mmCIF file of all heavy atoms in Angstrom:
data_model
loop_
_atom_site.group_PDB
_atom_site.id
_atom_site.type_symbol
_atom_site.label_atom_id
_atom_site.label_comp_id
_atom_site.label_asym_id
_atom_site.label_seq_id
_atom_site.Cartn_x
_atom_site.Cartn_y
_atom_site.Cartn_z
ATOM 1 N N PRO R 139 0.587 8.477 7.403
ATOM 2 C CA PRO R 139 1.433 8.275 6.183
ATOM 3 C C PRO R 139 2.060 9.610 5.744
ATOM 4 O O PRO R 139 1.327 10.654 5.630
ATOM 5 C CB PRO R 139 0.497 7.719 5.123
ATOM 6 C CG PRO R 139 -0.891 8.088 5.598
ATOM 7 C CD PRO R 139 -0.808 8.194 7.069
ATOM 8 N N LEU R 152 1.019 3.543 2.137
ATOM 9 C CA LEU R 152 0.227 2.826 3.107
ATOM 10 C C LEU R 152 0.555 1.360 2.935
ATOM 11 O O LEU R 152 1.219 0.958 1.961
ATOM 12 C CB LEU R 152 -1.285 3.062 2.942
ATOM 13 C CG LEU R 152 -1.925 4.276 3.630
ATOM 14 C CD1 LEU R 152 -1.524 5.539 2.950
ATOM 15 C CD2 LEU R 152 -3.438 4.115 3.680
ATOM 16 N N ASP R 156 -4.242 -1.101 6.003
ATOM 17 C CA ASP R 156 -4.434 0.372 6.169
ATOM 18 C C ASP R 156 -5.485 0.861 5.187
ATOM 19 O O ASP R 156 -6.223 1.801 5.472
ATOM 20 C CB ASP R 156 -3.152 1.094 5.950
ATOM 21 C CG ASP R 156 -2.151 0.993 7.125
ATOM 22 O OD1 ASP R 156 -2.571 0.903 8.285
ATOM 23 O OD2 ASP R 156 -0.931 0.942 6.830
ATOM 24 N N LEU R 157 -5.502 0.265 4.005
ATOM 25 C CA LEU R 157 -6.417 0.712 2.914
ATOM 26 C C LEU R 157 -7.909 0.556 3.292
ATOM 27 O O LEU R 157 -8.772 1.161 2.691
ATOM 28 C CB LEU R 157 -6.158 -0.023 1.623
ATOM 29 C CG LEU R 157 -4.905 0.322 0.885
ATOM 30 C CD1 LEU R 157 -4.692 -0.687 -0.321
ATOM 31 C CD2 LEU R 157 -4.960 1.737 0.290
ATOM 32 N N PHE R 159 -9.382 1.300 6.005
ATOM 33 C CA PHE R 159 -9.850 2.336 6.965
ATOM 34 C C PHE R 159 -9.922 3.644 6.202
ATOM 35 O O PHE R 159 -8.922 4.358 6.012
ATOM 36 C CB PHE R 159 -8.860 2.444 8.140
ATOM 37 C CG PHE R 159 -8.940 1.166 8.982
ATOM 38 C CD1 PHE R 159 -8.073 0.081 8.652
ATOM 39 C CD2 PHE R 159 -9.726 1.093 10.135
ATOM 40 C CE1 PHE R 159 -8.161 -1.075 9.401
ATOM 41 C CE2 PHE R 159 -9.746 -0.081 10.880
ATOM 42 C CZ PHE R 159 -8.996 -1.165 10.488
ATOM 43 N N PRO R 160 -11.145 3.969 5.743
ATOM 44 C CA PRO R 160 -11.270 5.164 4.865
ATOM 45 C C PRO R 160 -10.716 6.419 5.444
ATOM 46 O O PRO R 160 -10.154 7.253 4.763
ATOM 47 C CB PRO R 160 -12.800 5.253 4.685
ATOM 48 C CG PRO R 160 -13.264 3.853 4.847
ATOM 49 C CD PRO R 160 -12.393 3.272 5.900
ATOM 50 N N GLU R 161 -10.790 6.591 6.795
ATOM 51 C CA GLU R 161 -10.352 7.824 7.376
ATOM 52 C C GLU R 161 -8.787 7.930 7.230
ATOM 53 O O GLU R 161 -8.253 9.040 7.275
ATOM 54 C CB GLU R 161 -10.721 7.936 8.891
ATOM 55 C CG GLU R 161 -10.271 6.749 9.732
ATOM 56 C CD GLU R 161 -11.279 5.649 9.837
ATOM 57 O OE1 GLU R 161 -11.830 5.232 8.820
ATOM 58 O OE2 GLU R 161 -11.569 5.188 10.971
ATOM 59 N N TRP R 162 -8.125 6.803 7.097
ATOM 60 C CA TRP R 162 -6.662 6.855 6.950
ATOM 61 C C TRP R 162 -6.286 7.253 5.533
ATOM 62 O O TRP R 162 -5.358 8.070 5.365
ATOM 63 C CB TRP R 162 -6.090 5.487 7.315
ATOM 64 C CG TRP R 162 -4.698 5.493 7.896
ATOM 65 C CD1 TRP R 162 -3.568 4.801 7.486
ATOM 66 C CD2 TRP R 162 -4.253 6.340 8.976
ATOM 67 N NE1 TRP R 162 -2.524 5.071 8.275
ATOM 68 C CE2 TRP R 162 -2.881 5.992 9.232
ATOM 69 C CE3 TRP R 162 -4.873 7.299 9.815
ATOM 70 C CZ2 TRP R 162 -2.090 6.649 10.211
ATOM 71 C CZ3 TRP R 162 -4.107 7.875 10.778
ATOM 72 C CH2 TRP R 162 -2.740 7.579 10.965
ATOM 73 N N VAL R 163 -7.054 6.805 4.561
ATOM 74 C CA VAL R 163 -6.835 7.242 3.183
ATOM 75 C C VAL R 163 -7.241 8.723 3.100
ATOM 76 O O VAL R 163 -6.552 9.559 2.442
ATOM 77 C CB VAL R 163 -7.647 6.405 2.194
ATOM 78 C CG1 VAL R 163 -7.490 6.953 0.793
ATOM 79 C CG2 VAL R 163 -7.212 4.955 2.281
ATOM 80 N N ARG R 164 -8.324 9.126 3.786
ATOM 81 C CA ARG R 164 -8.661 10.541 3.834
ATOM 82 C C ARG R 164 -7.555 11.424 4.355
ATOM 83 O O ARG R 164 -7.289 12.476 3.835
ATOM 84 C CB ARG R 164 -9.939 10.736 4.679
ATOM 85 C CG ARG R 164 -10.292 12.205 4.837
ATOM 86 C CD ARG R 164 -11.578 12.344 5.640
ATOM 87 N NE ARG R 164 -11.548 11.756 6.960
ATOM 88 C CZ ARG R 164 -10.957 12.269 8.005
ATOM 89 N NH1 ARG R 164 -10.382 13.500 7.954
ATOM 90 N NH2 ARG R 164 -10.962 11.701 9.203
ATOM 91 N N ARG R 165 -6.936 10.916 5.418
ATOM 92 C CA ARG R 165 -5.810 11.697 6.010
ATOM 93 C C ARG R 165 -4.740 11.951 4.963
ATOM 94 O O ARG R 165 -4.237 13.108 4.815
ATOM 95 C CB ARG R 165 -5.224 10.952 7.186
ATOM 96 C CG ARG R 165 -3.970 11.576 7.875
ATOM 97 C CD ARG R 165 -4.308 12.892 8.451
ATOM 98 N NE ARG R 165 -3.106 13.549 9.012
ATOM 99 C CZ ARG R 165 -2.757 13.468 10.257
ATOM 100 N NH1 ARG R 165 -3.458 12.741 11.100
ATOM 101 N NH2 ARG R 165 -1.665 14.090 10.698
ATOM 102 N N ALA R 166 -4.391 10.944 4.192
ATOM 103 C CA ALA R 166 -3.380 11.179 3.136
ATOM 104 C C ALA R 166 -3.865 12.139 2.069
ATOM 105 O O ALA R 166 -3.079 13.023 1.624
ATOM 106 C CB ALA R 166 -3.057 9.834 2.510
ATOM 107 N N ALA R 167 -5.166 11.984 1.721
ATOM 108 C CA ALA R 167 -5.687 12.944 0.708
ATOM 109 C C ALA R 167 -5.750 14.332 1.219
ATOM 110 O O ALA R 167 -5.376 15.309 0.543
ATOM 111 C CB ALA R 167 -7.143 12.526 0.319
ATOM 112 N N GLU R 168 -6.103 14.533 2.424
ATOM 113 C CA GLU R 168 -6.119 15.893 3.066
ATOM 114 C C GLU R 168 -4.741 16.504 3.148
ATOM 115 O O GLU R 168 -4.598 17.754 3.036
ATOM 116 C CB GLU R 168 -6.715 15.845 4.480
ATOM 117 C CG GLU R 168 -8.244 15.632 4.550
ATOM 118 C CD GLU R 168 -8.716 15.576 5.962
ATOM 119 O OE1 GLU R 168 -7.982 15.136 6.882
ATOM 120 O OE2 GLU R 168 -9.884 16.048 6.165
ATOM 121 N N ASP R 169 -3.728 15.622 3.292
ATOM 122 C CA ASP R 169 -2.354 16.128 3.393
ATOM 123 C C ASP R 169 -1.746 16.353 2.002
ATOM 124 O O ASP R 169 -0.528 16.657 1.952
ATOM 125 C CB ASP R 169 -1.551 15.142 4.204
ATOM 126 C CG ASP R 169 -1.879 15.210 5.697
ATOM 127 O OD1 ASP R 169 -2.560 16.185 6.105
ATOM 128 O OD2 ASP R 169 -1.452 14.276 6.451
ATOM 129 N N GLY R 170 -2.537 16.121 0.943
ATOM 130 C CA GLY R 170 -2.024 16.459 -0.358
ATOM 131 C C GLY R 170 -1.580 15.335 -1.227
ATOM 132 O O GLY R 170 -1.033 15.521 -2.312
ATOM 133 N N ALA R 171 -1.783 14.075 -0.814
ATOM 134 C CA ALA R 171 -1.425 12.914 -1.617
ATOM 135 C C ALA R 171 -2.200 12.901 -2.944
ATOM 136 O O ALA R 171 -3.421 13.140 -2.949
ATOM 137 C CB ALA R 171 -1.591 11.617 -0.893
ATOM 138 N N VAL R 174 -1.749 7.166 -3.651
ATOM 139 C CA VAL R 174 -1.496 6.272 -2.520
ATOM 140 C C VAL R 174 -0.876 5.030 -3.039
ATOM 141 O O VAL R 174 -1.389 4.344 -3.920
ATOM 142 C CB VAL R 174 -2.811 5.915 -1.772
ATOM 143 C CG1 VAL R 174 -2.565 4.816 -0.734
ATOM 144 C CG2 VAL R 174 -3.326 7.175 -1.030
ATOM 145 N N VAL R 200 -12.283 3.706 -1.827
ATOM 146 C CA VAL R 200 -11.573 4.755 -1.182
ATOM 147 C C VAL R 200 -10.928 5.757 -2.163
ATOM 148 O O VAL R 200 -10.844 6.962 -1.947
ATOM 149 C CB VAL R 200 -10.485 4.238 -0.189
ATOM 150 C CG1 VAL R 200 -11.126 3.558 0.963
ATOM 151 C CG2 VAL R 200 -9.450 3.366 -0.873
ATOM 152 N N THR R 203 -13.891 7.809 -3.287
ATOM 153 C CA THR R 203 -14.475 8.634 -2.221
ATOM 154 C C THR R 203 -13.669 9.842 -1.906
ATOM 155 O O THR R 203 -14.214 10.942 -1.680
ATOM 156 C CB THR R 203 -14.576 7.726 -0.945
ATOM 157 O OG1 THR R 203 -15.508 6.661 -1.211
ATOM 158 C CG2 THR R 203 -15.119 8.564 0.205
ATOM 159 N N TYR R 204 -12.365 9.709 -1.910
ATOM 160 C CA TYR R 204 -11.477 10.873 -1.563
ATOM 161 C C TYR R 204 -10.704 11.340 -2.789
ATOM 162 O O TYR R 204 -9.778 12.172 -2.608
ATOM 163 C CB TYR R 204 -10.581 10.476 -0.390
ATOM 164 C CG TYR R 204 -11.369 10.233 0.826
ATOM 165 C CD1 TYR R 204 -11.481 8.917 1.419
ATOM 166 C CD2 TYR R 204 -12.105 11.277 1.415
ATOM 167 C CE1 TYR R 204 -12.263 8.749 2.523
ATOM 168 C CE2 TYR R 204 -12.867 11.050 2.508
ATOM 169 C CZ TYR R 204 -12.959 9.783 3.116
ATOM 170 O OH TYR R 204 -13.753 9.538 4.197
ATOM 171 N N VAL R 206 -8.393 10.173 -4.903
ATOM 172 C CA VAL R 206 -6.948 9.975 -4.851
ATOM 173 C C VAL R 206 -6.625 8.689 -5.627
ATOM 174 O O VAL R 206 -7.363 7.687 -5.520
ATOM 175 C CB VAL R 206 -6.416 9.904 -3.426
ATOM 176 C CG1 VAL R 206 -6.996 8.725 -2.681
ATOM 177 C CG2 VAL R 206 -4.906 9.910 -3.365
ATOM 178 N N LYS R 262 -10.884 17.925 -6.001
ATOM 179 C CA LYS R 262 -11.735 17.134 -5.101
ATOM 180 C C LYS R 262 -13.226 17.398 -5.356
ATOM 181 O O LYS R 262 -14.054 16.972 -4.553
ATOM 182 C CB LYS R 262 -11.369 17.504 -3.663
ATOM 183 C CG LYS R 262 -9.903 17.198 -3.271
ATOM 184 C CD LYS R 262 -9.506 15.783 -3.441
ATOM 185 C CE LYS R 262 -8.130 15.511 -3.002
ATOM 186 N NZ LYS R 262 -7.662 14.145 -3.283
ATOM 187 N N VAL R 270 -15.359 16.560 -1.991
ATOM 188 C CA VAL R 270 -15.334 15.345 -1.135
ATOM 189 C C VAL R 270 -14.786 15.603 0.257
ATOM 190 O O VAL R 270 -15.064 14.899 1.195
ATOM 191 C CB VAL R 270 -14.495 14.202 -1.820
ATOM 192 C CG1 VAL R 270 -15.124 13.752 -3.106
ATOM 193 C CG2 VAL R 270 -13.042 14.581 -2.012
ATOM 194 N N LEU R 271 -14.012 16.664 0.440
ATOM 195 C CA LEU R 271 -13.503 17.042 1.748
ATOM 196 C C LEU R 271 -14.289 18.088 2.435
ATOM 197 O O LEU R 271 -14.643 18.023 3.592
ATOM 198 C CB LEU R 271 -12.002 17.457 1.631
ATOM 199 C CG LEU R 271 -11.078 16.393 1.115
ATOM 200 C CD1 LEU R 271 -9.671 16.960 1.011
ATOM 201 C CD2 LEU R 271 -11.071 15.128 1.983
ATOM 202 N N ARG R 274 -17.843 17.155 4.141
ATOM 203 C CA ARG R 274 -17.845 16.319 5.350
ATOM 204 C C ARG R 274 -18.487 17.107 6.499
ATOM 205 O O ARG R 274 -18.353 18.358 6.598
ATOM 206 C CB ARG R 274 -16.418 15.876 5.746
ATOM 207 C CG ARG R 274 -15.735 15.041 4.695
ATOM 208 C CD ARG R 274 -14.356 14.611 5.209
ATOM 209 N NE ARG R 274 -14.447 13.737 6.351
ATOM 210 C CZ ARG R 274 -14.071 14.088 7.588
ATOM 211 N NH1 ARG R 274 -13.578 15.285 7.789
ATOM 212 N NH2 ARG R 274 -14.196 13.201 8.540
ATOM 213 N N PRO R 276 -17.934 16.499 10.095
ATOM 214 C CA PRO R 276 -17.301 15.709 11.204
ATOM 215 C C PRO R 276 -17.955 16.017 12.580
ATOM 216 O O PRO R 276 -17.861 15.163 13.459
ATOM 217 C CB PRO R 276 -15.849 16.200 11.172
ATOM 218 C CG PRO R 276 -15.875 17.502 10.400
ATOM 219 C CD PRO R 276 -17.026 17.366 9.450
ATOM 220 N N TYR R 279 -20.186 13.181 13.230
ATOM 221 C CA TYR R 279 -19.704 11.811 13.200
ATOM 222 C C TYR R 279 -19.150 11.412 14.576
ATOM 223 O O TYR R 279 -18.433 12.185 15.153
ATOM 224 C CB TYR R 279 -18.544 11.606 12.152
ATOM 225 C CG TYR R 279 -18.849 12.172 10.806
ATOM 226 C CD1 TYR R 279 -17.822 12.607 10.004
ATOM 227 C CD2 TYR R 279 -20.135 12.167 10.294
ATOM 228 C CE1 TYR R 279 -18.063 13.135 8.755
ATOM 229 C CE2 TYR R 279 -20.443 12.612 9.059
ATOM 230 C CZ TYR R 279 -19.391 13.093 8.236
ATOM 231 O OH TYR R 279 -19.636 13.567 6.998
ATOM 232 N N GLU R 281 -16.607 9.537 16.550
ATOM 233 C CA GLU R 281 -15.325 8.920 16.286
ATOM 234 C C GLU R 281 -14.923 7.839 17.296
ATOM 235 O O GLU R 281 -14.164 6.993 16.999
ATOM 236 C CB GLU R 281 -14.184 9.936 16.300
ATOM 237 C CG GLU R 281 -14.366 11.045 15.198
ATOM 238 C CD GLU R 281 -14.082 10.473 13.847
ATOM 239 O OE1 GLU R 281 -13.539 9.351 13.748
ATOM 240 O OE2 GLU R 281 -14.403 11.187 12.821
#
Side-chain angles (χ1 to χ4, degrees):
L152 273 72
D156 288 323
L157 287 171
F159 293 83
E161 58 267 47
W162 211 229
V163 178
R164 172 179 60 80
R165 175 65 183 266
E168 286 181 327
D169 288 345
V174 168
V200 294
T203 298
Y204 295 114
V206 62
K262 300 301 182 185
V270 298
L271 298 178
R274 298 182 65 250
Y279 309 151
E281 298 288 349

